[in-house]
Amino acid sequence: MGNPRIIVVGAGAAGVAAVSKLYQSGLTNVTLLEGSHRYGGRIHTTPFGPNEGMVELGAQWCHGEKGNVVYELASTFPGLLKSSIIAEGNILIRSNGDRVKQNFFDRLMAFCEQLIESEERYKFNGSLGDFFTAKYWETLKTDPTFHDIDRELAEQFLVYYHNYNRGYNAYDTWFEVAAQETDSYEPAEGNQAMAWASPRGFSVILDILSGNHPDANVNGFVPLDKLTSFDKFVTNIKWLGTPNGTVIVSTEDGNRYEADHIILTVSLGVLKANHRTMFTPAVPSLQRNAIEAIYFGTINKILLHFDTPIPAQFGNVVHLLWYQKDLEALRASQHAWAEAVATISLVDGKPNALCAWLNGAEGRAAEKLPDATVQEGLLHLLKVFASNMEFGNVQAILRSNWSSNRLFLGSYSSRSMDTERLQTGAKYLATPLADSEGKPVVLFAGEATNQKHFGTVQGAIESGQREAKRLLDLYL
């Protein structure tokens, strides 16, 4: 068969990458089913504020240059990327409004990053939290270079760094994460915070992948609009025991699609919630263990747009340190959910906007609160941490809701204690479901299936191209 019927489920980065590689390589009998009404998935560039400029509700930055497919694609078109405002001007503020000395912040941060990446970590048989807290206190007590860091600041910084780390990796607590990791994330070299200068924001990467960028090679053009059906929520994939060995995909609206292969790029959150009913027959234990054990957490953003620019003395990125009495007062107030906010940052290209970053259980709970309540809570935080600054009036608020959106049910994947206990990981999640002759019929893509770049757009793109190549190798 020279041009097999292929269905790709999910029009995020992985899905668009898979469809584009297949189509551009000659396998053009492709259908793209998307559960929402838009392309992008966890890339969600959207207008915000009175002038309708773009912001990123989902993936935001290009992380690194060397070995990063996002950078490699974007850098062929000059002017798409610039260093983000968050690359400098990071400060720590305590809940009495005092700024921690930059020297203290820089030294503690460098020490913590070194600890996270240490070889000793990967020899520790236990949680990352157990390893980190033990080594943190041991070093601060014995290393004379930290003699000027008092106990209270050290305790506050440990709470802050845990917040920062769980936000960066999308988990609730580092006591759920193994110090040893079967899948070890490998960052790309270079600038880790490059913002998008294009009016299309991060979503321009989808145009580049599919040859729809104005300056793209016309020979690589993929007619995505003709290949895509929107609002198609997949409810079942019958992958064995069908006539002629076809795969039958059923959608919520009652439609059925037949194909020779399916590339499934839905989020790990969707797989966790639905895998028991989504597959007929059920997925084997190899894939099931990976689905159930790999961690899938949530990071949310809340953006506020003011009628005046953010005060110049407010840092580019403000990290919050709580005194215990102030934190207890917050927890006893109507703003208790705001403990989820670990960081407040400026927004590239939006001088009047702030972005609050939320994680953990409180961050998920905040998704259920009305805009007015959330706005009031963020303004309360600004009064606590920046009481000496004048902010304008809020003109607009915009929020993500990754954990409650049934098309995602979270933000991105990381590794857990269960991942290590069951000795599973991305490699097993990426193993296709095959028929009796060993032919791959259901292929898995998405950031959670990437061993080295999970949790990133580059990881998602690589995975979509990987599964497309698997089929190309089969037919071409």
Side-chain angles (χ1 to χ4, degrees), residues 261-456:
H261 307 275
I262 174 173
I263 299 178
L264 189 62
T265 76
V266 298
S267 80
L268 178 60
V270 170
L271 288 177
K272 283 180 177 291
N274 301 314
H275 74 84
R276 291 169 187 80
T277 56
M278 196 174 195
F279 299 92
T280 304
V283 293
S285 59
L286 185 76
Q287 290 85 357
R288 185 182 68 246
N289 285 346
I291 290 169
E292 294 179 351
I294 297 174
Y295 202 93
F296 198 70
T298 306
I299 303 299
N300 272 317
K301 301 176 188 177
I302 302 172
L303 294 116
L304 294 181
H305 197 284
F306 296 86
D307 59 3
T308 58
I310 304 306
Q313 65 268 40
F314 191 84
N316 290 354
V317 186
V318 174
H319 306 276
L320 312 182
L321 287 189
W322 287 96
Y323 282 102
Q324 191 60 34
K325 62 178 177 59
D326 295 330
L327 187 55
E328 289 171 1
L330 180 76
R331 289 171 176 167
S333 75
Q334 71 269 35
H335 309 304
W337 65 268
E339 186 179 347
V341 179
T343 300
I344 302 173
S345 65
L346 302 186
V347 180
D348 287 291
K350 289 275 188 180
N352 291 26
L354 286 178
C355 178
W357 298 76
L358 292 77
N359 54 42
E362 300 90 351
R364 290 193 296 276
E367 292 186 22
K368 301 171 185 175
L369 299 174
D371 283 354
T373 301
V374 169
Q375 178 177 312
E376 185 183 349
L378 290 186
L379 293 178
H380 173 73
L381 288 184
L382 291 178
K383 287 179 182 177
V384 171
F385 287 91
S387 59
N388 60 333
M389 301 180 204
E390 288 289 330
F391 293 86
N393 298 309
V394 176
Q395 292 181 303
I397 181 171
L398 183 66
R399 305 157 58 188
S400 62
N401 63 339
W402 297 112
S403 73
S404 56
N405 186 323
R406 70 169 184 157
L407 299 180
F408 306 102
L409 301 175
S411 300
Y412 49 86
S413 68
S414 58
R415 300 306 175 252
S416 69
M417 292 289 283
D418 286 340
T419 315
E420 305 310 306
R421 179 177 58 81
L422 294 174
Q423 289 296 289
T424 188
K427 177 174 71 173
Y428 303 100
L429 181 56
T431 303
L433 304 179
D435 64 15
S436 57
E437 298 176 352
K439 182 182 73 173
V441 291
V442 179
L443 299 80
F444 295 92
E447 54 83 14
T449 71
N450 194 307
Q451 281 185 272
K452 302 300 182 185
H453 298 141
F454 50 87
T456 65

Side-chain angles (χ1 to χ4, degrees), residues 185-248:
Y185 182 80
E186 292 183 0
E189 294 178 22
N191 188 341
Q192 296 299 307
M194 285 175 282
W196 295 91
S198 161
R200 295 270 292 131
F202 212 143
S203 63
V204 74
I205 205 69
L206 306 174
D207 299 334
I208 296 171
L209 278 167
S210 59
N212 283 278
H213 189 277
D215 299 322
N217 183 340
V218 292
N219 295 324
F221 171 72
V222 180
L224 282 181
D225 56 337
K226 294 181 180 178
L227 304 179
T228 308
S229 292
F230 289 108
D231 299 311
K232 299 294 181 182
F233 187 83
V234 171
T235 52
N236 186 257
I237 299 164
K238 190 169 185 180
W239 60 282
L240 276 186
T242 62
N244 304 317
T246 57
V247 186
I248 300 174

Side-chain angles (χ1 to χ4, degrees), residues 133-154:
T133 52
K135 292 298 296 182
Y136 178 86
W137 288 118
E138 176 188 326
T139 305
L140 289 187
K141 287 177 181 176
T142 59
D143 189 335
T145 61
F146 294 109
H147 73 278
D148 54 346
I149 306 291
D150 64 62
R151 176 79 188 193
E152 187 172 45
L153 176 58

Side-chain angles (χ1 to χ4, degrees), residues 9-55:
V9 178
V16 171
V19 167
S20 299
K21 188 173 181 67
L22 289 167
Y23 196 94
Q24 290 160 346
S25 302
L27 296 187
T28 57
N29 193 1
V30 184
T31 300
L32 179 57
L33 300 180
E34 165 55 37
S36 74
H37 58 278
R38 65 176 182 86
Y39 295 104
R42 283 166 276 170
I43 297 174
H44 193 181
T45 308
T46 185
F48 176 59
N51 63 357
E52 292 295 285
M54 294 296 185
V55 294

Side-chain angles (χ1 to χ4, degrees), residues 55-90:
V55 294
E56 308 291 353
L57 262 189
Q60 184 142 351
W61 297 290
C62 175
H63 299 291
E65 297 151 276
K66 187 177 179 181
N68 181 345
V69 66
V70 171
Y71 180 80
E72 291 165 1
L73 288 165
S75 61
T76 61
F77 302 94
L80 290 186
L81 289 169
K82 61 180 181 181
S83 188
S84 172
I85 197 169
I86 68 133
E88 55 186 17
N90 280 241

